[in-house]
Amino acid sequence: MPAGQPLAQGPSAPNAFSTIAPRAWRGAIASAGIGYGVAFVVALLTVALTGLLTGWEMFSGGWLVSGPVQLVAMATFGQLSASAEVDFFVAFSGSITVGALPLLVLAALLAGIYLSSRFVGRGVWQTSSALILSAVSGLTLAVGATVLAAVLPVQFPDLQLDIPVGSTSAASIGSFLGALVIGFAVSYVARLQATDGWSRLVARATWLPWGTVRIAALHLGTFIAVMAVVLAVLTPLSEADEFVGVLPVFLFTIAINAVVIGLLGAFSADLSDLERALSGLGGASGEQPQQSISVFTEGVTGFIWLIVLLAVILAVVASLLLAVRRNRVLPAPTSWLTTIATYLVFGLILQLLGSALFTASMTAPERASASGTFGPAAWTFLIFAIWGAVIEALTRFVAPVVLAYATPGTIGALVKLSGQERLLPVVPTAPLVPAAAGASLAAGMPYSIDPASAAAASAAAASAYPTLAGQPGAAPLPFATTTMSPATAKRVKIGAIIVGAAVLLVIAGSVAGGIVRSSVFGPQNVATAYLDSLEKGNATTALKLLGSSADAGDGLLSNDIFGLATDRIKDAAISDVTIVGDVAEIEVHFKQGGVADSAVLKLTRTSTAWLIADKWSILNAEPGQIDVYLPSRMGDVDLEANGTSVGTTKDGGLNLPAFPGTYEVAIPATEYFEESSVTYVVSGLLGGSGEFESSDDVFTATPTAEYKAAALEAVNTLITTCLAAGEAASDDCPYLGYISSYYSNVVYSLVTAPDLTVDLSYEEGGLTVSTDTYGVVTMAYDVNYGFSSEIRHESEENYLTVNAEVNVVDGEVVVTEVY
């Protein structure tokens, strides 16, 4: 018996294990090791690139070994788990598990196992031998991946977290079973392809739509590859450059989600379980229970519609490939089901590959758990099924019209991409079929052409194209459309052109509308206009953009005043724009008074006109407030700023709204007070939120010479009045001498007038008039003490001293108090 041939079957034939050569056993184990090694190398390069992009902030030397090991375990559907314990008043302990597929590592693992199983220790195997060896490869891979992940966990020595995180590992029953299934399935397919068992398997699966599967895989694979390249190029150049570090690990995962969005699906983050768990613990996550992002989400940039345009273009190309693959044979009605089912299955696969999940649990001080998912929405496979129906419709009704005008070179390229060996030659009257069809021609005849006509047409085509017909390498002939009448064909062509133009117009309009909506009517334009108005001192425009209840001209909110304010903001620039629903948050950086500052403006969408013209209003940037306080004795006065009246104080105070800047508020000079001013500084963009500063200066009530003279005159008048009053002298008069109840007919005479001085009062705005050198007053009076009826007339001299408080009341200088 020749070496390498299986033993003859019979009653005494040895079992399957005895027919396997030792080198085959070694090859089964080695193929698993080689596959793991290829995946490890790719994972190592991924970890190294991630470390370089993030500056190695999260990495230590051990990461170069443990990191790739954990990535390979995650590629076999393992979940990365970590636990932590912390003492903070009470002891907390919990764990978190994250599952996501590093698709690049998974692809390397599949390729490595396939190639090594195909060529390492290969031989001629029976079906049972292939099953056994594949099981050995799968078991070897499962044990190796799980054990290595368990003994080489990832450590976090350099994170310096407030919560100490223990070692993390993806070793689990999930990684073991995943590696077992992957290793077995890929090895078995590779070994079958080396035997005639593969041919028998393919023959039994002829009902599978391999052509449709090939084109759908090419279609979606190209879409994902293009999005991966775009993300890899644009992410470092965009505002999301902080995510560059995760691209080496999750580039294709993110690309899959971008493809789902481009196919009018949605990226979904389901946090409902987390919200419930946190609520049960007395907390809140601060997030909506479920969030979805799609091209229809409010605030999504119009450039996302370019992905939709790419999806439509690739769908048209897929329909052309599918039409060429069918080789001009009129598709059966069941092809609708075939195409839809194929894309639905691919949707399910990509929905799985593009998803990530997490599970968090707390074991102390009480038990709680939560889980969540990130990735394509749960109904994504239905979106793919709809696209399958669209592609089938394009294949039937649009592709024949397009291909009829295609050049031979284009047809040839489509033939190669579709996997079709050649196109059938075409005659003007009827499409032809291969002569090898034989007697079964009638059953599969394209467009219901009878066999006799088809045979005649084939002979005519062979004579007309002697070098082309039946030659696999021949240049393709012009693609035939149908056997419909010229008039009907013309109407179909015109209709297809109109429909195609309409579709392109709608898509172009949607893309243009989205771009215009985000770029022309986006919230960043309102924020930019607001900042520009603040820089230029245009209070009227700023108030309109705020939607503020304040009116132009209130307080310091006029162009005349704000335009002359100094230290307004300048060099304002927008960095991050985040839109959720009808609310946008925009981070702004600016300088004021030479000092760099930043703030976050919040805007709300108030209305939308013509589907794209959004109107935004700023929510959190009410004008700042300047609180003006005057000396209590000054009363109510008119205030000015930059020569413009800004209002009259009430009860010695006034509130003035103002935009960011430095203002000089003044009390104009009057007859009794000199001019006084105070410099106020309103800082920050969010004045209404308390970001207000003012100088330490205060208004001063500096009396004029006229005020001092009027104060002296008022006190002298008081003295004269009190001297003349005699017995009517009251507590409002200075001391003029002792008066008894026995006195009558009291008469005062001024002998020597006092010398008076004027000083500032302890209450600003008032004056104190006091005696510097006392005066002399003669007091004459009649007295009867009741001991006799005799009334005596007496007189005496007294000192005259004055200490009076003088203020301006209703524009008049009056004595308000005498001590």
Side-chain angles (χ1 to χ4, degrees), residues 239 299 522-525 527 574-579 584-587 603:
E239 297 176 354
Q524 68 277 4
N525 295 321
I574 292 174
S575 58
D576 294 331
V577 179
T578 304
I579 303 175
E585 292 188 359
I586 300 178
E587 186 173 349
L603 298 89

Side-chain angles (χ1 to χ4, degrees), residues 370-395:
S371 62
T373 58
F374 299 86
W379 39 266
T380 296
F381 66 97
L382 297 177
I383 293 293
F384 277 76
I386 293 173
W387 277 90
V390 170
I391 290 172
E392 178 65 27
L394 292 173
T395 302

Side-chain angles (χ1 to χ4, degrees), residues 679-777:
T679 300
Y680 291 91
V681 178
V682 179
S683 65
L685 291 179
L686 313 180
S689 300
E691 294 190 10
F692 164 73
E693 297 177 359
S694 66
S695 64
D696 295 330
D697 297 336
V698 294
F699 286 102
T700 58
T702 304
T704 62
E706 289 80 359
Y707 187 11
K708 294 179 179 180
L712 288 174
E713 183 180 354
V715 173
N716 285 324
T717 300
L718 177 66
I719 292 174
T720 301
T721 302
C722 290
L723 289 174
E727 288 184 294
S730 66
D731 293 337
D732 294 331
C733 293
Y735 180 74
L736 300 176
Y738 173 76
I739 297 180
S740 172
S741 60
Y742 299 104
Y743 296 172
S744 60
N745 299 322
V746 179
V747 177
Y748 295 102
S749 300
L750 182 61
V751 178
T752 304
D755 292 332
L756 302 177
T757 59
V758 180
D759 297 304
L760 296 177
S761 172
Y762 69 94
E763 291 192 21
E764 195 170 4
L767 295 176
T768 299
V769 179
S770 58
T771 303
D772 186 27
T773 301
Y774 58 83
V776 178
V777 175

Side-chain angles (χ1 to χ4, degrees), residues 426-463:
V426 181
V427 293
T429 57
L432 304 181
V433 296
S440 62
L441 186 62
M445 180 60 59
Y447 306 173
S448 300
I449 302 300
D450 63 57
S453 300
S458 297
S463 61

Side-chain angles (χ1 to χ4, degrees), residues 504-754:
L504 291 177
L505 183 61
V506 170
I507 294 174
S510 300
V511 174
I515 294 174
V516 170
R517 185 178 190 184
S518 62
S519 59
V520 178
F521 299 105
Q524 68 277 4
N525 295 321
V526 176
T528 300
Y530 176 65
L531 297 172
D532 184 64
S533 64
L534 294 184
E535 289 194 40
K536 295 180 178 178
N538 191 333
T540 303
T541 301
L543 286 173
K544 289 181 179 179
L545 296 171
L546 283 179
S548 174
S549 58
D551 296 325
D554 289 350
L556 305 179
L557 302 178
S558 70
N559 293 347
D560 294 337
I561 297 176
F562 185 40
L564 296 177
T566 58
D567 291 337
R568 296 192 300 269
I569 70 167
K570 65 178 183 178
D571 299 335
I574 292 174
S575 58
D576 294 331
V577 179
T578 304
I579 303 175
V580 179
D582 290 331
V583 177
E585 292 188 359
I586 300 178
E587 186 173 349
V588 179
H589 301 271
F590 59 93
K591 289 183 179 180
Q592 185 177 5
V595 178
D597 199 356
S598 64
V600 176
L601 290 178
K602 293 184 178 180
L603 298 89
T604 181
R605 192 196 328 263
T606 57
S607 63
T608 301
W610 302 102
L611 301 178
I612 60 173
D614 293 331
K615 185 177 181 181
W616 295 86
S617 180
I618 301 174
L619 290 174
N620 65 331
E622 282 291 322
Q625 197 84 359
I626 292 177
D627 297 324
V628 177
Y629 298 101
L630 302 182
S632 58
R633 295 295 186 177
M634 291 190 68
D636 294 334
V637 299
D638 293 331
L639 298 179
E640 292 182 354
N642 297 330
T644 302
S645 176
V646 296
T648 302
T649 61
K650 184 177 181 180
D651 297 329
L654 184 64
N655 297 327
L656 300 175
F659 285 118
T662 300
Y663 303 85
E664 185 176 285
V665 180
I667 303 174
T670 63
E671 180 182 2
Y672 300 120
F673 293 101
E674 296 180 359
E675 179 181 353
S676 178
S677 65
V678 173
T679 300
Y680 291 91
V681 178
V682 179
S683 65
L685 291 179
L686 313 180
S689 300
E691 294 190 10
F692 164 73
E693 297 177 359
S694 66
S695 64
D696 295 330
D697 297 336
V698 294
F699 286 102
T700 58
T702 304
T704 62
E706 289 80 359
Y707 187 11
K708 294 179 179 180
L712 288 174
E713 183 180 354
V715 173
N716 285 324
T717 300
L718 177 66
I719 292 174
T720 301
T721 302
C722 290
L723 289 174
E727 288 184 294
S730 66
D731 293 337
D732 294 331
C733 293
Y735 180 74
L736 300 176
Y738 173 76
I739 297 180
S740 172
S741 60
Y742 299 104
Y743 296 172
S744 60
N745 299 322
V746 179
V747 177
Y748 295 102
S749 300
L750 182 61
V751 178
T752 304

